Amino acid sequence: MKNTVVVGAQWGDEGKAKITDLLAGEADIIIRYQGGCNAGHTVVVDGETYKFHLIPSGILYDGKTCVIGAGTVINPVVLEEELEDLKKRGVSTKNLKICQLAHITMPYHIDLDGADELLLGNNKIGTTKRGIGPTYTDKMARLGFRIEDLYDEELLLSKIERALPIKNAQLEKIYGLKPYSKEQILEFCHYYRDYLKPYVDMDLLPFLEKSRKAGKKILFEGAQGVMLDIDFGTYPYVTSSNPIGGGAVTGTALGINSVDEVIGVFKAYITRVGEGPFMTELLDDEGEKIQSIGKEFGVTTGRKRRCGWFDLPIAKYSAQVSGLTGIALTKLDVFDSFDKIKLCVAYKDKRDGHIYDNYPTNINLHKYLEPVYRVFDGWKTDISKAKSYNDLPENAKIYLKEIEKLTDVPIKIISVGPDREQTIFI
Ligand code: IMP
């Protein structure tokens, strides 16, 4: 295996966890590079379902080093729950390492996330309310707490003294919420300082560099998706980090030259949770059908996902901004019973008929646009047991070839069901 980045190439929930889980089998180190417990990664192994929010799913293999990287934000409460659940199920967590540079989601970040959304009213983002935006906001505002701060009492105290008056002023004066005392925050920090200690490796950065030089195989695990990227997504309806391929470099301490391959994970259709524009969204029976066959519910929030046809302008854009070298296409089997399958190949301006082949980043324009579809015949066959590309029906191959041709990126993996075995490598 080459050093590979796995990127969500749509609005998240593309099935990245299954792809990372498969590739993790050949990796030595699996490192999560951005996001926090807003992510929900489901992996099915031997019929057993595991749900991850922060820990790389590679933890399910013996002997792999799993890292929660510098670009992530960690809610220690959620991490504790996740670790305890794994331990209860007999999964060893001893190979987990937490980067000392990752930021901590404090209790007030969660309060602020909920309060921001409430104040935004109809303009809300539809966040996961996990405090992600406020944690990254504080990181950028230089008011954040990093994991390493927990282990330097003098620094910790000075940071609390610096940040808390500002956070409390926001809580009380803007939102009318209860402030936090210095003691409450200290107690929280002390508890997690001790709980997380076995996983915090202050020599992680030299370890990563040594591993890279020794030719260890590294798998970079992204969360969310390109269209939720803070810079390239449907801003402001995005998350607060960089899920794009480049995030793997800024979020790990492994340089740009350590990446050989970038795999973009796409669903055979497209989904989104939360608010924001969605050109190919289906608000009819077909959307319902995709939603119910695809079991499209958010892992973190349980919300029903919005569903629509595959969107090529987004796929091309996604391939560009992440530098994709390959595509993993998931959930192709969801279309098994469909008579017709549509592919959005461009957008048309309803006002003057102008055709957009490329994704327009100004989302204010989107309300004037409509998708231009190419329609494909369905294959009306159960493909969930297909083991190779040649096992796929001709109509499925036609659909796949079109995606490959128009994105100009080779499809390298096709998933036809949730199990590890239901995967075709090309
Ligand atoms: P936040 O990341 O909780 O701030 O939410 C911002 C936007 O990203 C919302 O539209 C969420 O629904 C979306 N989002 C965050 N994490 C995920 C994910 O893992 N999958 C899909 N959407 C996500």
Side-chain angles (χ1 to χ4, degrees):
M1 175 195 135
K2 296 174 178 170
N3 290 346
T4 304
V5 182
V6 176
V7 176
Q10 297 165 323
W11 275 295
D13 308 319
E14 301 90 351
K16 287 180 294 295
K18 175 175 167 175
I19 305 302
T20 26
D21 172 61
L22 285 166
L23 298 175
E26 289 176 48
D28 299 301
I29 298 172
I30 301 110
I31 180 160
R32 167 87 182 267
Y33 60 81
Q34 47 69 233
C37 59
N38 46 351
H41 294 163
T42 308
V43 182
V44 181
V45 182
D46 298 332
E48 204 168 331
T49 303
Y50 296 86
K51 293 188 176 178
F52 296 95
H53 298 287
L54 282 159
I55 301 175
S57 54
I59 202 85
L60 297 176
Y61 288 94
D62 273 344
K64 314 272 177 197
T65 302
C66 289
V67 181
I68 303 180
T72 64
V73 291
I74 298 175
N75 178 342
V77 183
V78 174
L79 183 54
E80 180 182 15
E81 282 166 12
E82 217 168 307
L83 282 163
E84 293 306 313
D85 181 55
L86 285 173
K87 286 187 213 162
K88 238 189 280 155
R89 296 168 78 172
V91 178
S92 168
T93 59
K94 74 175 189 329
N95 291 328
L96 178 72
K97 290 177 188 282
I98 299 172
C99 182
Q100 76 265 31
L101 300 177
H103 275 248
I104 302 170
T105 296
M106 292 293 198
Y108 49 75
H109 288 136
I110 295 161
D111 300 345
L112 289 169
D113 197 353
D116 275 339
E117 284 282 275
L118 215 59
L119 213 61
L120 280 166
N122 286 340
N123 293 319
K124 72 176 193 292
I125 308 292
T127 73
T128 58
K129 299 205 178 124
R130 298 296 190 270
I132 304 300
T135 312
Y136 278 112
T137 302
D138 276 359
K139 169 176 168 171
M140 292 304 179
R142 293 152 292 189
L143 290 172
F145 289 80
R146 308 205 287 197
I147 290 289
E148 66 182 3
D149 303 343
L150 298 176
Y151 303 94
D152 183 331
E153 192 69 6
E154 189 185 340
L155 179 65
L156 181 65
L157 282 167
S158 72
K159 282 202 162 181
I160 293 175
E161 264 153 29
R162 195 162 165 268
L164 201 57
I166 299 177
K167 296 290 110 186
N168 277 341
Q170 283 174 3
L171 287 167
E172 282 184 286
K173 294 189 180 142
I174 303 177
Y175 301 111
L177 294 173
K178 248 179 89 184
Y180 286 83
S181 68
K182 188 173 138 190
E183 289 68 34
Q184 276 175 308
I185 298 299
L186 256 182
E187 194 187 332
F188 175 85
C189 291
H190 286 161
Y191 176 81
Y192 285 106
R193 172 194 63 195
D194 299 338
Y195 181 82
L196 297 178
K197 193 147 198 290
Y199 306 104
V200 180
D201 179 357
M202 294 298 183
D203 289 325
L204 177 69
L205 304 188
F207 162 80
L208 289 174
E209 180 60 353
K210 214 168 95 193
S211 305
R212 183 186 73 80
K213 284 193 170 149
K216 298 282 182 202
K217 300 289 167 248
I218 302 162
L219 182 63
F220 301 81
E221 177 177 326
Q224 290 84 44
V226 172
M227 299 313 287
L228 288 170
D229 187 276
I230 188 77
D231 293 305
F232 295 99
T234 45
Y235 191 89
Y237 300 99
V238 291
T239 192
S240 300
S241 62
N242 285 118
I244 60 161
V249 176
T250 55
T252 59
L254 284 151
I256 197 159
N257 58 346
S258 57
V259 175
D260 303 312
E261 176 117 58
V262 187
I263 298 288
V265 186
F266 293 85
K267 269 180 196 158
Y269 43 95
I270 193 165
T271 64
R272 145 159 237 177
V273 284
E275 309 302 317
F278 184 170
M279 194 70 69
T280 62
E281 182 169 17
L282 292 165
L283 299 167
D284 54 12
D285 290 350
E286 252 164 346
E288 287 278 321
K289 191 171 168 187
I290 295 177
Q291 198 275 330
S292 90
I293 299 177
K295 297 189 186 67
E296 295 296 350
F297 291 96
V299 177
T300 303
T301 57
R303 290 179 291 182
K304 246 187 183 183
R305 295 179 183 140
R306 301 155 66 191
C307 298
W309 300 116
F310 193 96
D311 184 320
L312 268 162
I314 282 184
K316 287 192 290 183
Y317 175 73
S318 202
Q320 177 190 343
V321 302
S322 280
L324 300 187
T325 59
I327 288 175
L329 198 90
T330 65
K331 292 198 152 182
L332 188 61
D333 56 301
V334 169
F335 283 148
D336 282 357
S337 63
F338 280 62
D339 293 322
K340 299 280 175 200
I341 295 157
K342 291 185 185 171
L343 193 61
C344 166
V345 291
Y347 307 148
K348 182 169 138 193
D349 196 319
K350 289 178 264 187
R351 298 168 300 181
D352 59 7
H354 178 79
I355 297 289
Y356 288 84
D357 291 318
N358 295 309
Y359 174 77
T361 55
N362 174 3
I363 64 164
N364 188 43
L365 200 63
H366 290 199
K367 60 178 178 286
Y368 301 115
L369 307 181
E370 61 187 14
V372 178
Y373 286 119
R374 197 167 296 168
V375 183
F376 294 77
D377 288 326
W379 42 90
K380 310 283 279 182
T381 320
D382 176 7
I383 60 165
S384 64
K385 291 179 189 66
K387 294 272 176 255
S388 73
Y389 184 74
N390 286 334
D391 292 343
L392 292 174
E394 210 43 47
N395 283 352
K397 288 183 188 160
I398 293 171
Y399 181 66
L400 296 171
K401 278 201 190 114
E402 202 60 12
I403 291 178
E404 211 168 31
K405 188 175 104 197
L406 295 175
T407 52
D408 198 22
V409 183
I411 296 179
K412 297 196 171 172
I413 301 171
I414 300 165
S415 168
V416 292
D419 272 319
R420 276 179 182 164
E421 289 68 36
Q422 294 173 294
T423 313
I424 298 168
F425 287 91
I426 302 175

